């Protein structure tokens, strides 16, 4: 999966890039069919806003977060994305179409 970072009113430093990449590892562990992620980091006055769009198996998942600290905003956004990815994964695992086991009678 490729993570594209865009910064608005902020310089994207290596520590911020590495932090976002590290956080996306958590989502990769839960779901390996991630195609693409686009993350936008924005700073206005003292407000840090983070939003991300994930492309996964024919669907897009969006999450955003706002905080006074950029790292806290990234953490909150990753938490939201992770919950949505897990929910999507559960929906894909359809347990209602399992093949019933044949009963074997010994007698």
């Amino acid at each position: 999966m490729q993570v594209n970072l865009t910064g608005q009113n902020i310089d994207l430093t290596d520590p911020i890039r590495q932090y976002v990449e590290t956080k996306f590892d958590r989502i990769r562990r839960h779901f390996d069919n991630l195609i693409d992620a686009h993350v936008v980091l924005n700073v206005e006055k003292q407000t840090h806003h983070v939003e991300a769009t994930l492309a996964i198996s024919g669907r897009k998942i969006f999450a955003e977060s706002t905080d006074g600290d950029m790292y806290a905003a990234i953490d909150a956004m990753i938490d939201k994305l992770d919950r949505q990815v897990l929910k999507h994964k559960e929906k894909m695992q359809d347990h209602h179409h399992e093949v019933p086991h044949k009963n074997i009678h010994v007698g």
Side-chain angles (χ1 to χ4, degrees):
M1 173 182 81
Q2 182 176 352
V3 178
N4 300 315
L5 284 173
T6 303
Q8 297 175 345
N9 302 325
I10 185 174
D11 289 329
L12 294 177
T13 61
D14 284 338
I16 289 178
R17 288 181 186 275
Q18 290 172 355
Y19 191 76
V20 172
E21 283 284 340
T22 302
K23 290 296 178 176
F24 268 97
D25 286 343
R26 178 172 131 198
I27 294 173
R28 285 185 194 109
R29 280 196 306 264
H30 290 148
F31 193 71
D32 58 357
N33 292 339
L34 302 173
I35 300 166
D36 187 355
H38 184 76
V39 181
V40 178
L41 309 174
N42 188 3
V43 177
E44 291 183 20
K45 297 184 182 178
Q46 296 300 318
T47 305
H48 301 268
H49 182 80
V50 181
E51 61 184 48
T53 305
L54 281 181
I56 57 170
S57 57
R59 184 164 175 232
K60 291 192 183 271
I61 295 178
F62 177 81
E64 62 183 347
S65 177
T66 302
D67 199 283
D69 177 56
M70 181 59 76
Y71 292 98
I74 292 168
D75 288 343
M77 183 266 310
I78 290 292
D79 289 343
K80 291 176 185 180
L81 276 179
D82 196 37
R83 282 193 299 271
Q84 290 182 46
V85 166
L86 288 174
K87 186 175 180 181
H88 176 71
K89 183 178 177 180
E90 287 175 11
K91 285 183 180 181
M92 287 183 57
Q93 294 174 345
D94 190 9
H95 298 287
H96 299 289
H97 296 293
E98 292 181 6
V99 178
H101 297 285
K102 293 182 179 180
N103 292 330
I104 301 172
H105 296 283
V106 178

